[in-house]
Amino acid sequence: ASSLLDEVNAAEAADQDALNASEILRLQKEVAALQKERDEAKILAERRKTIITQKEADIDQLRGQLEWHEKLQAYNNKENYVSSREKNGDTQQDKMQAASTFSAADSRYKTKLCTSWLETGRCKYGQDCHFAHGSDDQTTRQNEENV
């Protein structure tokens, strides 16, 4: 009877070892699957981060373009207003006061002389140039800011 009991105990121990080994194998597979999911999630997160960074750069670029066009529009509105005042025979002081009612498109606008104009006497941008074409152009801008 003792040997039968030993055999039963040995069988139960073997069964327990098999269950433990099976459980260990199952848990190892589960851990491996979760690690794989985590790694895939990291890859997706990096891709999203890259996409977000690119979209932020695109937004910044478009904001810069929008700002430039808004400044150009403000300048053109001011120039058109000043031009209409010239047609009405207003004095230079009247034109400067009228121009000052429009906000400056850029506080640095026409504060420096155009290097192309200085070197060659010409500028491909003409009246649309953001730099002054001569001291009169530069002085007019400074006077407008002081009015």
Side-chain angles (χ1 to χ4, degrees):
S2 169
S3 104
L4 183 59
L5 186 57
D6 289 338
E7 285 180 34
V8 169
N9 286 338
E12 285 179 358
D15 287 344
Q16 189 63 39
D17 287 343
L19 286 175
N20 284 340
S22 175
E23 184 66 12
I24 288 171
L25 184 61
R26 184 189 68 78
L27 290 172
Q28 287 173 337
K29 286 180 181 179
E30 195 172 323
V31 166
L34 289 173
Q35 288 174 332
K36 183 178 177 184
E37 287 179 23
R38 180 206 55 208
D39 293 343
E40 289 171 353
K42 282 182 179 181
I43 290 169
L44 287 174
E46 284 299 316
R47 286 182 186 155
R48 286 185 182 122
K49 185 177 177 181
T50 300
I51 291 169
I52 290 169
T53 301
Q54 181 60 49
K55 295 298 179 188
E56 287 173 346
D58 292 346
I59 289 168
D60 288 344
Q61 182 181 13
L62 289 174
R63 281 184 179 153
Q65 290 175 2
L66 176 62
E67 182 180 341
W68 185 86
H69 284 286
E70 287 172 340
K71 288 177 182 179
L72 181 62
Q73 184 179 21
Y75 170 75
N76 287 336
N77 288 344
K78 181 178 73 176
E79 287 296 310
N80 290 338
Y81 186 73
V82 170
S83 176
S84 71
R85 301 288 297 227
E86 286 175 349
K87 289 178 186 173
N88 294 334
D90 293 342
T91 66
Q92 182 66 23
Q93 184 65 25
D94 291 335
K95 288 186 278 185
M96 288 189 302
Q97 283 180 324
S100 69
T101 62
F102 288 90
S103 63
D106 184 344
S107 62
R108 297 173 294 162
Y109 185 79
K110 300 270 185 185
T111 59
K112 293 184 180 181
L113 292 173
C114 173
T115 52
S116 177
W117 187 86
L118 283 173
E119 293 171 0
T120 65
R122 296 180 187 164
C123 174
K124 67 180 180 179
Y125 299 106
Q127 288 294 85
D128 293 331
C129 183
H130 289 240
F131 297 94
H133 293 165
S135 58
D136 290 341
D137 197 19
Q138 191 174 20
T139 303
T140 300
R141 180 65 185 156
Q142 291 169 344
N143 288 340
E144 287 174 12
E145 290 175 352
N146 293 329
V147 172

